[in-house]
Amino acid sequence: MKPTTLKDIAHELNISVATVSKALKGYSDVSSSTKKAVLKMAKKMNYIPNTVAVNLRTQQTKTLGVIIPAIVHHFFSEVMDGIIKEAKKHGYLVITLQSNENYQLEKKQLILLQQKRVDGILISLSNDTPNFDHINAILQKKIPIVMFDKIAKLVECSKVVIDDKLAAYNAVSYLIEKGYKRIAHFRGSLNPQISIDRFLGYRKALVDHGIPFDPKLVYICDNNDDFNDGYNNAKKMLEEHNDIDAVFTITDVVAVGILKYLKENDIKIPEDIALFGFSNWFMSSVITPSLSSVTQPGFKMGKKSTKILIEEIKCINKGIPYSFQTCVLPTSLVIRNSS
Amino acid sequence: MKPTTLKDIAHELNISVATVSKALKGYSDVSSSTKKAVLKMAKKMNYIPNTVAVNLRTQQTKTLGVIIPAIVHHFFSEVMDGIIKEAKKHGYLVITLQSNENYQLEKKQLILLQQKRVDGILISLSNDTPNFDHINAILQKKIPIVMFDKIAKLVECSKVVIDDKLAAYNAVSYLIEKGYKRIAHFRGSLNPQISIDRFLGYRKALVDHGIPFDPKLVYICDNNDDFNDGYNNAKKMLEEHNDIDAVFTITDVVAVGILKYLKENDIKIPEDIALFGFSNWFMSSVITPSLSSVTQPGFKMGKKSTKILIEEIKCINKGIPYSFQTCVLPTSLVIRNSS
């Protein structure tokens, strides 16, 4: 069955297509009796407006594009939840793409979203994105972009982040104040800003508390959120050092990997080694021992990014100038049994 | 900066828009030197084809719509991962909507996707969807739909599922063969087919092994995947019954809720009470004791559903008839320390 068209309705009522179109849009030069007849017939024939055609006229698609590194990750699925819900509130649909932490794919996906004429783009960068020309190229075309979580400080656009450096600083300072002295850091890969900032926060906390920074105590977890990275590096760390008394990790999932290795080797948490994670994943409260962590407000980040993006789209449509915002969402420490 | 149009290219080269359009499409009635010149200019001017306009011609949007109950759920985020990756392979984009287990919202979202002229729809029903007229209305318009996981058996369309009843039967039979006799079931809400089928598998396993079915041992977890449902019902169950020796649950997250309550009350797992979950969430191997579970292939389910949908879209476009398929993906039991 083909969808009902304006022509079908016009044919049934024996009036012109233009009159049907005007009646459906509520124009004042169509009599109210004609309007009623058209609406009744449209309903009867199950007419649905062709929004693709509408788009051509208004130049709007009411669609937002999102590029995230991966959807199977509790934090990003929370962000997506926030994005989809906020978009819905404003009548926007969301196209979701995954870069799989791959720069080439991220570049292609930006072009694809542009071809799809999305009204705006939300992006969290892949780990191996080395430069930002692809982002700037889109911004130059007056397509608004809001970056969240994994952002590029140098790109001029709105951003929604947490203060990763401060959050890490607070977590490591807490460990030091509890009396831990040889604190290792399981960091993310070298490139992403969040990984750099969390590392810098760790190092600053040590130095500010008079503990010398030892680069040998920093282990790299290339996948950021990989349980196995935590597990394998824990093994390596214990072979190389017998004096570690605490570990601060880039994510909770990495910490859970360490936790598993320590338990298998009868190392007591937090008596022998304390653990402090990042992101306050809901499982962190359930595992034994429960994991201390930094809260990372994924849902709020998704909502806020989308809100800013839609405001920018509105400004562009109305020709009103606007300024880029950087919104820093608050975090806090959740202290549980692992520290 | 406005996007480059065919008119801009035509103007630069002082040729007609029709010639530019033909050249870009590689039509044979345009000379190869003109083609070269057009392609070079299109590249120089950073021309990107307007796919919204292309859509009007081909009547295709190369977009799929997905409606899922919730994205913040490990199983559904795995399904989404499979959907997005398979869609990408075939050049399709994915619009994701969340029904939040709400029937009214699900109805609206189906109409919205139809208005957006998606080429096909993937849906997993909400828990409170009482009838399927909204699904049938879309199918009647020749828009293909593939249902997955939470399906309606009565709707005539392709489906991708697991055999929930058999999987539950196998899990409960395993518990019985291990010697457990008073086995409770923490089921999902009354409406969804998966919840009904897992319950029926539980009951059949008891009856087939000569254990009387006791409806008082069945507790309802309305949210299916809610940790708190498991925790609170565990409390209730232990107040009402002191002879339960095992619990089979609708999902792993419910089982983890029970596990927390049992541990807080010094009830040993599996010595006092064994636990068996459903979905083999990756955390199930990490918690203490590790949780026995039924594997539920989310990623494969997403890929397979998308593959079938794209095949159906192709058939519709070519006017080739096709039959609906029901694909049952295999599951297996993963036995760990909780049973």
Side-chain angles (χ1 to χ4, degrees):
Chain A
M1 203 178 95
K2 283 257 170 194
T4 304
T5 63
L6 293 184
K7 210 171 153 185
D8 299 333
I9 299 171
H11 180 78
E12 283 298 310
L13 295 170
N14 198 23
I15 56 176
S16 75
V17 173
T19 306
V20 172
S21 173
K22 282 179 177 178
L24 288 172
K25 283 173 194 150
Y27 282 23
S28 58
D29 57 344
V30 179
S31 74
S32 67
S33 65
T34 306
K35 271 181 203 164
K36 261 190 203 160
V38 169
L39 286 176
K40 205 174 155 190
M41 184 57 72
K43 201 173 171 189
K44 190 182 157 199
M45 297 177 77
N46 210 353
Y47 170 73
I48 287 174
N50 184 337
T51 53
V52 178
V54 171
N55 297 338
L56 275 180
R57 190 172 48 78
T58 63
Q59 292 288 329
Q60 276 205 67
T61 58
K62 281 285 195 176
T63 324
L64 307 179
V66 181
I67 302 177
I68 49 171
I71 204 164
V72 184
H73 186 303
H74 190 71
F75 172 70
F76 282 120
S77 69
E78 278 196 338
V79 173
M80 283 309 305
D81 190 23
I83 291 174
I84 293 172
K85 285 184 180 147
E86 185 68 22
K88 177 181 165 285
K89 253 175 65 179
H90 303 272
Y92 282 83
L93 292 182
V94 176
I95 291 175
T96 312
L97 296 168
Q98 299 189 83
S99 67
N100 304 331
E101 304 283 6
N102 182 313
Y103 166 58
Q104 294 303 332
L105 198 52
E106 181 180 288
K107 273 211 299 197
K108 277 188 204 153
Q109 290 174 335
L110 268 180
I111 292 171
L112 190 63
L113 289 176
Q114 189 188 350
Q115 287 175 344
K116 278 281 163 185
R117 296 278 190 264
V118 294
D119 297 333
I121 295 171
L122 296 154
I123 187 167
S124 189
L125 296 175
S126 90
N127 278 345
D128 74 348
T129 297
N131 72 65
F132 315 112
D133 295 348
H134 56 313
I135 313 276
N136 286 322
I138 302 283
L139 287 167
Q140 271 166 24
K141 290 181 187 258
K142 301 275 180 230
I143 299 169
I145 294 180
V146 175
M147 295 186 137
F148 61 92
D149 191 48
K150 293 163 77 180
I151 61 146
K153 288 191 177 164
L154 293 175
V155 175
E156 285 183 37
C157 69
S158 290
K159 290 152 202 158
V160 180
V161 291
I162 57 167
D163 188 336
D164 284 285
K165 191 173 165 188
L166 178 66
Y169 183 88
N170 290 340
V172 176
S173 297
Y174 172 85
L175 288 171
I176 297 168
E177 281 151 23
K178 286 286 272 185
Y180 298 101
K181 285 187 176 66
R182 281 291 274 177
I183 304 170
H185 177 37
F186 280 27
R187 64 167 289 166
S189 52
L190 295 177
N191 197 24
Q193 194 66 50
I194 58 164
S195 170
I196 294 168
D197 284 347
R198 291 178 197 172
F199 163 71
L200 291 177
Y202 156 78
R203 194 174 66 182
K204 189 170 189 312
L206 294 179
V207 173
D208 283 2
H209 289 81
I211 296 178
F213 164 65
D214 180 353
K216 284 195 232 76
L217 301 192
V218 177
Y219 289 81
I220 297 176
C221 300
D222 272 323
N223 297 314
N224 274 1
D225 59 346
D226 195 313
F227 172 77
N228 295 315
D229 264 347
Y231 186 89
N232 297 331
N233 274 326
K235 186 169 183 290
K236 207 173 151 210
M237 175 184 79
L238 287 171
E239 284 162 7
E240 292 173 355
H241 304 280
N242 58 10
D243 58 347
I244 302 289
D245 58 12
V247 189
F248 168 63
T249 63
I250 177 86
T251 62
D252 281 2
V253 181
V254 167
V256 172
I258 304 179
L259 186 143
K260 192 177 186 197
Y261 185 81
L262 297 184
K263 279 168 87 169
E264 283 176 8
N265 289 275
D266 291 323
I267 295 167
K268 288 195 188 69
I269 310 164
E271 294 83 355
D272 299 332
I273 295 183
L275 290 178
F276 211 111
F278 205 110
S279 77
N280 196 31
W281 185 30
F282 81 102
M283 276 305 291
S284 304
S285 69
V286 176
I287 49 177
T288 309
S290 58
L291 186 66
S292 298
S293 189
V294 175
T295 59
Q296 201 185 6
F299 181 74
K300 266 190 204 161
M301 192 176 275
K303 282 201 83 144
K304 186 68 189 174
S305 308
T306 309
K307 212 171 163 185
I308 294 175
L309 183 64
I310 292 172
E311 280 165 16
E312 295 188 353
I313 292 168
K314 276 188 193 157
C315 288
I316 290 172
N317 289 341
K318 291 182 185 165
I320 303 169
Y322 62 93
S323 320
F324 298 131
Q325 317 174 33
T326 292
C327 172
V328 182
L329 298 176
T331 59
S332 57
L333 302 186
V334 184
I335 306 302
R336 298 203 186 89
N337 296 331
S338 73
S339 62
Chain B
M1 203 176 96
K2 282 256 169 195
T4 304
T5 62
L6 293 184
K7 211 172 153 188
D8 300 331
I9 300 171
H11 180 79
E12 283 298 311
L13 295 170
N14 198 22
I15 56 178
S16 75
V17 173
T19 307
V20 173
S21 171
K22 283 180 177 177
L24 289 172
K25 282 173 193 150
Y27 282 23
S28 56
D29 56 344
V30 179
S31 73
S32 67
S33 64
T34 306
K35 272 182 203 162
K36 261 189 205 161
V38 169
L39 286 176
K40 206 174 152 190
M41 185 56 73
K43 201 172 170 189
K44 190 181 155 199
M45 296 178 76
N46 209 356
Y47 171 73
I48 289 174
N50 184 337
T51 54
V52 179
V54 170
N55 297 338
L56 275 180
R57 189 173 49 79
T58 63
Q59 291 289 328
Q60 275 205 67
T61 59
K62 281 286 196 174
T63 321
L64 307 179
V66 181
I67 302 177
I68 50 170
I71 204 165
V72 184
H73 186 304
H74 190 71
F75 172 70
F76 282 119
S77 69
E78 278 195 338
V79 172
M80 283 309 307
D81 190 25
I83 290 174
I84 293 173
K85 284 184 180 147
E86 185 68 22
K88 177 181 165 283
K89 254 175 65 179
H90 302 273
Y92 283 83
L93 291 183
V94 176
I95 290 175
T96 312
L97 296 169
Q98 299 190 83
S99 68
N100 304 331
E101 304 283 8
N102 181 314
Y103 165 58
Q104 293 302 335
L105 199 51
E106 181 181 288
K107 273 209 300 195
K108 277 188 205 153
Q109 291 174 335
L110 268 180
I111 292 173
L112 191 62
L113 288 176
Q114 187 188 351
Q115 286 175 344
K116 278 281 161 184
R117 296 278 190 264
V118 294
D119 297 333
I121 295 172
L122 296 154
I123 187 166
S124 188
L125 296 175
S126 90
N127 278 346
D128 73 348
T129 298
N131 73 64
F132 315 113
D133 294 347
H134 57 312
I135 314 276
N136 287 321
I138 302 283
L139 287 166
Q140 271 168 23
K141 292 181 185 256
K142 301 276 181 230
I143 299 169
I145 294 180
V146 175
M147 295 185 137
F148 61 92
D149 191 48
K150 293 164 75 179
I151 61 146
K153 288 193 175 160
L154 292 175
V155 175
E156 285 183 38
C157 69
S158 290
K159 289 153 203 154
V160 180
V161 290
I162 57 167
D163 189 335
D164 285 285
K165 191 173 166 187
L166 178 67
Y169 182 89
N170 290 340
V172 176
S173 297
Y174 171 85
L175 287 171
I176 296 169
E177 281 151 23
K178 287 285 272 187
Y180 298 101
K181 285 185 176 68
R182 281 291 274 177
I183 304 171
H185 177 38
F186 280 27
R187 64 167 288 168
S189 52
L190 295 176
N191 196 26
Q193 194 66 50
I194 59 164
S195 170
I196 295 167
D197 285 347
R198 291 178 197 172
F199 163 71
L200 291 176
Y202 156 79
R203 193 174 66 183
K204 189 171 190 311
L206 294 179
V207 174
D208 283 2
H209 289 82
I211 296 179
F213 164 65
D214 180 353
K216 283 195 234 76
L217 301 192
V218 177
Y219 289 82
I220 297 176
C221 299
D222 272 321
N223 296 315
N224 274 1
D225 59 346
D226 195 313
F227 172 78
N228 295 314
D229 264 348
Y231 185 89
N232 296 331
N233 274 325
K235 184 168 184 289
K236 204 173 154 209
M237 174 183 80
L238 288 171
E239 283 162 8
E240 292 173 355
H241 304 279
N242 58 10
D243 57 348
I244 302 290
D245 58 12
V247 188
F248 168 63
T249 63
I250 177 88
T251 62
D252 280 2
V253 181
V254 168
V256 172
I258 304 179
L259 186 142
K260 190 177 188 200
Y261 185 81
L262 297 184
K263 280 169 84 170
E264 283 176 7
N265 289 276
D266 291 322
I267 296 166
K268 288 197 187 70
I269 310 164
E271 294 83 354
D272 299 331
I273 296 182
L275 290 178
F276 211 111
F278 205 109
S279 77
N280 196 30
W281 185 29
F282 81 102
M283 276 305 292
S284 305
S285 68
V286 175
I287 49 177
T288 309
S290 58
L291 186 66
S292 298
S293 190
V294 176
T295 60
Q296 199 185 7
F299 182 75
K300 265 191 203 159
M301 191 174 276
K303 283 202 81 145
K304 186 69 188 174
S305 308
T306 310
K307 213 172 165 183
I308 293 175
L309 183 64
I310 292 173
E311 280 165 14
E312 295 188 353
I313 293 169
K314 277 189 192 156
C315 288
I316 290 172
N317 289 340
K318 291 180 183 165
I320 302 168
Y322 61 94
S323 320
F324 298 131
Q325 316 174 33
T326 292
C327 172
V328 182
L329 297 176
T331 59
S332 59
L333 302 186
V334 184
I335 305 302
R336 298 202 186 89
N337 296 332
S338 72
S339 64

